[in-house]
Amino acid sequence: MQPHQFYRDAYQTDLTSSVVSADENRLVLSDTLFYPHGGGQPGDTGYLTVNGQTIEIVDTRYSKDRSRIEHHLADALVLDIGTPVTVTLNWARRYRHMRMHTCLHLLCHIIKDPVTGGNVGADLSRAEFDLTSPLDKQELEDQLNAIIQQGADVTTEWLPESILDERPDLVRTMSVQPPRGHGDIRMVRIAGLDYQPCGGTHLKNISEVGQVRVPSIKSKGKQNKRINIELVD
Ligand SMILES: [Zn+2]
């Protein structure tokens, strides 16, 4: 499987590509840098430029069978197959998703308990754990900010998906197993801190997360706690 452009370079903001199919307001392109909603990370937004016209892209999702990435347009559009188009990311929003997503992986480093869920948002992100010992939000916030300040490189690699049978411990999120059937699985490594399968878009270095806040830790069950994360700026 040829990785999409958002995997080759998560920092690229514009891409010229061509129309594969245009079904009313669902547009499929030959390649894209728009991340499709999945793995707890929202679909990208931005805009499309075609024939001198600009159309808003309000969401990006996989098709039902997950074989295609569909850009959801604000307006229905008739386009011939092969028409060249340029897509431009709402980079400010996506970059916040990258900072938040990488930060959630740092939580997995600090808290070794089972992860039961997680969700990335530009303004608020959350991760849920079945905690085996109590957690203080101020202590956690201080720990997170200290690690972020130290910095660490984030790299990705593709491994044969049989790695998941050999090393089931690599999967941190119990509720969401990585998608299988493509032959390869994408691994995200934060040098010396975290290594797990993940399909999200990440920073090059954790120092880019910047200062974070832990506004609350909410109880979702006897052991299950939800940790909320905000970016300070
Ligand atoms: Zn992830």
Side-chain angles (χ1 to χ4, degrees):
M1 182 181 58
Q2 175 73 6
H4 286 284
Q5 187 60 30
F6 54 80
Y7 282 146
R8 292 196 293 272
D9 181 3
Y11 287 74
Q12 189 176 327
T13 58
D14 301 85
L15 178 74
T16 298
S17 177
S18 64
V19 174
V20 169
S21 72
D23 176 18
E24 296 196 341
N25 67 338
R26 304 279 169 97
L27 179 72
V28 178
L29 300 172
S30 57
D31 193 7
T32 188
L33 40 75
F34 276 56
Y35 179 79
H37 176 97
Q41 186 178 327
D44 280 329
T45 59
Y47 62 90
L48 162 83
T49 311
V50 59
N51 304 327
Q53 211 186 341
T54 298
I55 295 128
E56 203 189 336
I57 299 171
V58 294
D59 199 4
T60 310
R61 300 251 167 183
Y62 277 110
S63 59
K64 277 210 179 79
D65 64 1
R66 285 185 71 88
S67 66
R68 287 162 291 131
I69 292 174
E70 297 178 335
H71 305 77
H72 295 202
L73 307 179
D75 299 303
L77 198 61
V78 179
L79 286 173
D80 291 331
I81 292 164
T83 304
V85 302
T86 300
V87 285
T88 304
L89 271 185
N90 177 341
W91 172 248
R93 179 174 176 270
R94 152 70 94 73
Y95 190 53
R96 288 179 75 86
H97 292 164
M98 287 162 61
R99 290 168 64 198
M100 286 288 205
H101 199 145
T102 301
C103 184
L104 293 187
H105 283 222
L106 293 177
L107 274 184
C108 292
H109 160 68
I110 295 173
I111 306 165
K112 302 298 184 197
D113 294 327
V115 185
T116 59
N119 196 67
V120 173
D123 296 319
L124 185 72
S125 296
R126 57 182 162 80
E128 281 118 32
F129 294 84
D130 274 336
L131 291 184
T132 51
S133 55
L135 201 60
D136 179 74
K137 69 178 174 127
Q138 189 58 53
E139 250 172 64
L140 180 63
E141 180 179 304
D142 294 345
Q143 254 180 307
L144 266 176
N145 283 316
I147 292 169
I148 291 163
Q149 260 196 350
Q150 279 173 20
D153 285 337
V154 185
T155 51
T156 60
E157 63 203 43
W158 294 84
L159 291 181
E161 62 187 20
S162 57
I163 190 76
L164 299 177
D165 300 319
E166 294 155 24
R167 295 278 316 275
D169 56 298
L170 288 175
V171 180
R172 287 299 310 273
T173 311
M174 298 153 72
S175 55
V176 189
Q177 284 290 323
R180 299 234 197 172
H182 299 292
D184 289 325
I185 202 86
R186 183 169 178 264
M187 301 296 298
V188 173
R189 184 190 297 279
I190 302 178
L193 299 175
D194 185 63
Y195 183 59
Q196 59 175 302
C198 177
T201 54
H202 283 275
L203 302 170
K204 287 178 180 155
N205 191 286
I206 63 168
S207 60
E208 291 175 62
V209 174
Q211 207 188 333
V212 296
R213 213 172 4 229
V214 180
S216 57
I217 297 176
K218 288 191 172 141
S219 192
K220 307 302 285 179
K222 202 168 169 211
Q223 281 189 296
N224 197 245
K225 308 290 168 205
R226 172 180 291 176
I227 299 163
N228 289 312
I229 301 280
E230 288 172 351
L231 301 172
V232 169
D233 50 40

